[in-house]
Amino acid sequence: MIPRPSPSRLLLCTLRTRPQRTSIAQWRSAIYIQTNELSSHLKQRRLYSAPVPKKAPKIDRSKSKLFKSADEAVADLQSGSTILSAGFGLSGVADTLINAIKRRGKQSLHSLTAVSNNAGIEDVGGLALITKTGQVDRLIISFLGNNKALEKQFLTGNITIELCPQGTLAERIRCGGAGVPAFYTPTAVDTLLEEGKIPTKFNSDGKAIGFGTPRETRVFNGRKYLMETALTGDVAILRAWKVDEAGNCCFRYATKAFGPIMAKAARLTIVEAENIVPIGDLGPNEIDLPGIFVDRIVPATAEKHVEIKKLRDPAGSGKGKNISEAAARRERIARRAAKELKHGYYVNLGVGIPTSAAEYVPEGTKVWLQSENGLLGMGPHPTEGEVDPDIINAGKETVTILPGGSTFDSAESFGMIRGGHVDVSILGALQVSAAGDLANYMVPGKVFKGMGGAMDLVGNPDATKVVVATEHVARDGSPKIVQDCSLPLTGAKCVSTIITDMCVFEVDREMGELWLTELADGVSVEDVREKTGAKFTALSRLGSMD
């Protein structure tokens, strides 16, 4: 039976004008249909009753996308805008446009929110150029980097910084450009990020007065996930290698890290191009970003910078020379960690000791090294003549790409990682617990740089084996392997193997137990017990690390 609708002007009008020969049933049906149409119309209007303030400049599709200069292209940017700034480290950063924003000055352009992987280097490049001028009030980044001026601004309350795992940041931006409002991720479950306890704001005395937002959680197939919301911007600024006059873009090597996804997530995208070519010069197979996502094009005039120029010795690695005791310990760890890298494996190596493991892979064993800034098939550090500012690793160091290697954007990279397509991930640690909990990014009371991609790298431990390679004790002699972590977690129950300069532990993540399986030469089980802060069981027949 059709329910009787509530009175309204529309109903009264319908009642007055009802044809006399229409049946009661037909009349009720007509009223019901029109009421639903009215309800639908009202609901649709309510969605737009409070329009989002538009900070993006007006786009005129009828005009050329070519602008004479970066200054002209940013002249109508508005204060209070959200700026998506592409690049990774100093690679692929739109410094021509950032310098133009800087020239606008704080009085003309201020109160900006800036989104990027990191904030650049003071007086060199990146967002640091406009955070120093005070034009940026809020940053959303994954890693603070080596920027002392920005650290001071943050710790004295002059800027708000939201730290976000690198893969989550990339996916939030990708979803923003794809019209997806939110998504669930395994990254950062059971960490301070889930609880909303990572500081975002300090007062002038260095006391935390603002924190993140607690995440909504949901269980899928017996596993907990965090809900993250999409991230969009008013303006995206990026640097491309080649751009045609229609806005089609071709990026070079690792410079595509955040470029394509940021262009898609902004209302207005401005590209600075190293080469501007006529329409037709770029073939369809060469285009990384279609012109539909690009609104303005300017010539790139800023020089490229190399953040960390790391070279290899063309004559050899130098192994076998006299080295310090500390270096010998690190070499022992790296040499043993290399045994985890089997032929044909796809592997991600963290900064420091984990990266060194690649040097000890036996000849004839082929492994594919993945770097989360968008490289697969990463090679050794370059010689002086091979240095290329567009080819860097996750530590912002210069590297090479081996035959068969590939490059891709950050969302694709972390899809590989979270999706379990990487076989092994090797990371460093501040602490590891008996249950495989990992803490490696933050010490309370000290300046923390951010989590970068670490939380994503340990986000799927059932598919990607997580190996920790670290010295057995900290600099102060305190144990790094503990019963329960006292430091903020990077991931819970994620580590399967622990390799130190003294021994190797296998972790039973379900039972929360450690098994001692190997010892270094000259190290006894009692030596390990003395320097380990967790209970463990030693196998009856222990292997040798060497």
Side-chain angles (χ1 to χ4, degrees), residues 329-338 340-341 348-358 424-432 438 440 466-473 480-481 495-505 545:
R329 289 197 302 269
R330 293 192 293 271
E331 182 180 309
R332 185 185 307 144
I333 299 166
R335 190 185 298 276
R336 173 57 185 82
E340 300 291 325
L341 311 182
N348 186 287
L349 302 179
V351 177
I353 294 174
T355 299
S356 302
V424 178
S425 180
I426 305 181
L427 300 92
L430 297 171
Q431 286 182 339
V432 190
L438 172 65
N440 76 344
V466 177
V467 177
V468 161
T470 183
E471 294 189 73
H472 204 91
V473 298
K480 287 191 170 187
I481 296 93
V495 178
S496 294
T497 301
I498 305 169
I499 301 169
T500 77
D501 50 304
M502 297 183 71
C503 64
V504 176
F505 287 112
M545 284 182 64

Side-chain angles (χ1 to χ4, degrees), residues 136-354:
V136 178
D137 284 355
R138 182 170 177 248
L139 278 173
I140 302 175
I141 56 176
S142 81
F143 195 72
L144 191 60
N146 298 315
N147 190 326
K148 296 298 182 183
L150 183 57
E151 281 182 18
K152 185 177 180 181
Q153 282 180 283
F154 184 35
L155 294 175
T156 54
N158 291 311
I159 194 168
T160 299
I161 298 181
E162 177 188 341
L163 290 168
C164 182
Q166 189 180 152
T168 298
L169 180 65
E171 190 65 12
R172 289 179 69 192
I173 295 166
R174 189 199 70 80
C175 285
V180 177
F183 61 95
Y184 285 93
T185 177
T187 300
V189 166
D190 295 327
T191 70
L192 293 182
L193 190 82
E194 176 188 332
E195 299 171 4
K197 293 182 178 178
I198 294 181
T200 60
K201 182 75 173 177
F202 292 85
N203 63 15
S204 58
D205 297 324
K207 180 181 178 181
I209 56 174
F211 296 86
T213 303
R215 301 311 197 255
E216 177 185 320
T217 64
R218 185 171 173 180
V219 175
F220 295 92
N221 300 319
R223 188 177 179 198
K224 185 166 72 169
Y225 293 78
L226 306 186
M227 191 187 82
E228 295 283 355
T229 55
L231 188 57
T232 59
D234 298 299
V235 179
I237 54 173
L238 46 145
R239 181 172 181 133
W241 180 39
K242 290 183 180 180
V243 182
D244 70 18
E245 293 175 4
N248 297 307
C249 297
C250 177
F251 295 89
R252 189 170 182 273
Y253 298 123
T255 62
K256 64 170 65 81
F258 278 89
I261 58 174
M262 285 186 165
K264 297 170 186 178
R267 290 199 188 99
L268 176 91
T269 295
I270 311 174
V271 176
E272 61 178 72
E274 294 173 38
N275 302 278
I276 300 175
V277 299
I279 294 173
D281 272 25
L282 291 180
N285 290 328
E286 299 177 85
I287 295 169
D288 298 311
L289 178 68
I292 190 173
F293 300 111
V294 174
D295 304 293
R296 298 178 181 181
I297 306 162
V298 302
T301 57
E303 65 175 307
K304 295 181 180 181
H305 298 284
V306 173
E307 188 163 340
I308 303 174
K309 186 167 78 171
K310 189 76 177 286
L311 304 176
R312 74 174 185 272
D313 179 359
S317 65
K319 294 194 290 287
K321 297 180 181 179
N322 292 328
I323 57 176
S324 67
E325 183 180 343
R329 289 197 302 269
R330 293 192 293 271
E331 182 180 309
R332 185 185 307 144
I333 299 166
R335 190 185 298 276
R336 173 57 185 82
K339 295 181 181 180
E340 300 291 325
L341 311 182
K342 310 299 183 185
H343 185 73
Y345 270 20
Y346 293 94
V347 179
N348 186 287
L349 302 179
V351 177
I353 294 174

Side-chain angles (χ1 to χ4, degrees), residues 465-515:
K465 183 178 182 181
V466 177
V467 177
V468 161
T470 183
E471 294 189 73
H472 204 91
V473 298
R475 291 181 181 179
D476 62 1
S478 61
K480 287 191 170 187
I481 296 93
V482 295
Q483 195 63 33
D484 297 293
C485 291
S486 59
L487 298 177
L489 295 187
T490 304
K493 292 186 176 182
C494 57
V495 178
S496 294
T497 301
I498 305 169
I499 301 169
T500 77
D501 50 304
M502 297 183 71
C503 64
V504 176
F505 287 112
E506 296 297 333
V507 183
D508 185 330
R509 293 185 286 116
E510 292 301 318
M511 300 300 294
E513 296 177 351
L514 288 178
W515 293 84

Side-chain angles (χ1 to χ4, degrees), residues 332 500-503 518-524 527 543-546:
R332 185 185 307 144
T500 77
D501 50 304
M502 297 183 71
C503 64
E518 299 175 29
L519 288 174
D521 286 351
V523 177
S524 68
D527 292 335
S544 172
M545 284 182 64
D546 302 312

Side-chain angles (χ1 to χ4, degrees), residues 28-81:
R28 286 182 175 174
S29 178
I31 293 174
Y32 185 65
I33 291 169
Q34 291 181 61
T35 304
N36 281 348
E37 289 175 351
L38 175 63
S39 177
S40 175
H41 175 69
L42 291 175
K43 286 178 181 177
Q44 189 179 33
R45 287 184 60 191
R46 279 198 292 270
L47 289 174
Y48 300 96
S49 61
V52 177
K54 294 182 179 179
K55 293 291 184 181
K58 185 179 178 180
I59 300 170
D60 187 344
R61 299 287 193 196
S62 67
K63 293 184 177 180
S64 169
K65 295 182 180 183
L66 299 179
F67 281 64
K68 293 180 181 179
S69 68
D71 292 296
E72 182 185 0
V74 305
D76 56 352
L77 266 61
Q78 300 177 41
S79 296
S81 296

